[in-house]
């Protein structure tokens, strides 16, 4: 009886290589480098979190964001092609936000930074306009992450639930200063609160911020737009 040849069989892509097809990578950690042509040419009209995205009918008025609990969108990484068609029905996507905290083990910080960048690349490489969400870890890992993001583009940050205390605001102030230094963005989308003590000095410097109240606030009478 002839033996079957394992190497003639199609190998299942358990490592999600399809997410970074034809990508260039950073030199050390090999994060996929986002291409400038992936970046949206427009400022979002409205923004909706992924876990609420099925609530709206006029999808082309919205960019989908992932400022919601990780467990509500883990499935997009496990089944990327299944969700590609759904996400393409919106105007664009603010790229994923798998949690990254400085007190996480370094390996977990890198893992989630890579997931965020991989899925961002996948979306852009499949024709969906993206705005990179900026979320990185501690000092030991952040510099190479920034090398994966083009300079002088539109970027997004989420403040929802992150800047309630004075200490949190001080930390976010340092974060905004850092991303301006590394990325020199042309526009910064802010989803969540914009306290004056954090943002006013950067507005005076001429940084273009675009403020969006959280979707839940908009439903209660707030404003989800500029």
């Amino acid at each position: 009886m002839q033996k079957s040849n394992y190497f003639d069989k199609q190998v299942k892509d358990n490592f999600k290589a399809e997410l970074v097809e034809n990508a260039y990578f950073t030199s050390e950690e090999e994060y996929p480098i986002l291409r400038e042509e992936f970046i949206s040419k427009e400022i979002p009209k409205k923004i909706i979190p992924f876990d609420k995205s099925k609530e709206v009918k006029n999808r082309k008025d919205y960019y989908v964001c992932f400022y919601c609990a990780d467990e509500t969108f883990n499935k997009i990484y496990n089944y990327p092609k299944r969700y590609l068609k759904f996400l393409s029905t919106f105007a664009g996507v603010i790229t994923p936000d798998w949690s990254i905290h400085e007190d996480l083990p370094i390996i977990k910080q890198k893992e989630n930074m890579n997931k965020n960048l991989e899925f961002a690349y996948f979306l852009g490489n499949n024709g969906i306009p993206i705005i990179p969400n900026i979320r990185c870890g501690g000092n030991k890992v952040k510099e190479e992450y920034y090398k994966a993001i083009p300079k002088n583009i539109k970027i997004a940050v989420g403040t929802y639930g992150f800047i309630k205390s004075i200490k949190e605001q001080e930390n976010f102030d340092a974060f905004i200063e850092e991303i301006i230094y590394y990325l020199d963005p042309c526009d910064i989308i802010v989803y969540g609160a914009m306290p004056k003590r954090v943002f006013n000095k950067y507005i005076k410097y001429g940084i273009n911020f675009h403020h969006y109240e959280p979707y839940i606030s908009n439903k209660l009478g707030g404003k989800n737009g500029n």
Side-chain angles (χ1 to χ4, degrees):
M1 184 173 66
Q2 186 178 7
K3 293 181 180 179
S4 61
N5 187 342
Y6 172 81
F7 294 101
D8 287 340
K9 298 179 181 179
Q10 185 175 358
V11 178
K12 186 177 180 180
D13 183 14
N14 291 316
F15 301 100
K16 298 293 187 288
E18 64 180 342
L19 296 179
V20 292
E21 185 177 0
N22 299 321
Y24 291 97
F25 301 88
T26 62
S27 58
E28 295 181 19
E29 300 296 343
E30 297 190 342
Y31 297 130
I33 298 171
L34 304 183
R35 298 180 188 173
E36 193 167 344
E37 59 263 33
F38 295 169
I39 309 305
S40 174
K41 303 295 189 295
E42 301 175 345
I43 299 296
K45 293 180 181 178
K46 300 177 182 180
I47 298 174
I48 188 165
F50 178 78
D51 62 344
K52 304 295 183 185
S53 56
K54 291 185 178 180
E55 293 184 5
V56 295
K57 295 181 179 179
N58 51 333
R59 293 179 180 174
K60 286 301 181 182
D61 285 344
Y62 288 87
Y63 271 58
V64 176
C65 73
F66 295 86
Y67 301 127
C68 44
D70 291 16
E71 58 266 24
T72 65
F73 61 89
N74 281 330
K75 54 194 173 185
I76 70 169
Y77 192 80
N78 297 327
Y79 307 101
K81 289 184 178 179
R82 182 182 301 177
Y83 287 94
L84 184 64
K85 184 176 181 180
F86 173 71
L87 291 171
S88 70
T89 63
F90 292 84
V93 173
I94 293 175
T95 61
D97 188 50
W98 275 285
S99 298
I100 302 163
H101 304 289
E102 291 191 23
D103 57 351
L104 281 173
I106 294 294
I107 189 64
K108 295 302 295 182
Q109 293 182 39
K110 292 179 178 180
E111 178 185 343
N112 282 359
M113 285 191 292
N114 188 60
K115 286 173 67 175
N116 288 335
L117 289 166
E118 281 186 337
F119 205 84
Y121 185 92
F122 175 70
L123 294 172
N125 200 35
N126 281 277
I128 295 180
I130 63 170
I131 298 175
N133 168 65
I134 306 302
R135 183 82 72 196
C136 55
N139 291 329
K140 294 180 180 179
V141 297
K142 64 177 61 175
E143 190 165 346
E144 188 169 2
Y145 166 84
Y146 285 124
K147 293 178 182 178
I149 312 292
K151 292 186 176 182
N152 198 228
I153 62 166
K154 299 175 185 65
I155 61 172
V157 295
T159 66
Y160 187 53
F162 281 95
I163 54 174
K164 294 180 180 179
S165 70
I166 296 298
K167 181 62 177 176
E168 287 174 330
Q169 291 181 16
E170 290 173 349
N171 290 341
F172 210 88
D173 186 348
F175 172 59
I176 294 295
E177 183 174 0
E178 181 180 279
I179 62 177
I180 291 171
Y181 171 78
Y182 278 105
L183 300 177
D184 189 24
C186 62
D187 296 275
I188 301 179
I189 308 302
V190 180
Y191 184 86
M194 276 188 66
K196 292 181 180 180
R197 72 183 310 273
V198 175
F199 289 92
N200 269 15
K201 64 180 179 181
Y202 301 109
I203 293 172
K204 290 178 181 178
Y205 293 155
I207 304 300
N208 295 318
F209 291 102
H210 305 271
H211 182 215
Y212 299 77
E213 292 287 351
Y215 176 72
I216 187 65
S217 299
N218 185 47
K219 289 184 71 173
L220 297 173
K223 184 180 180 183
N224 187 252
N226 299 292

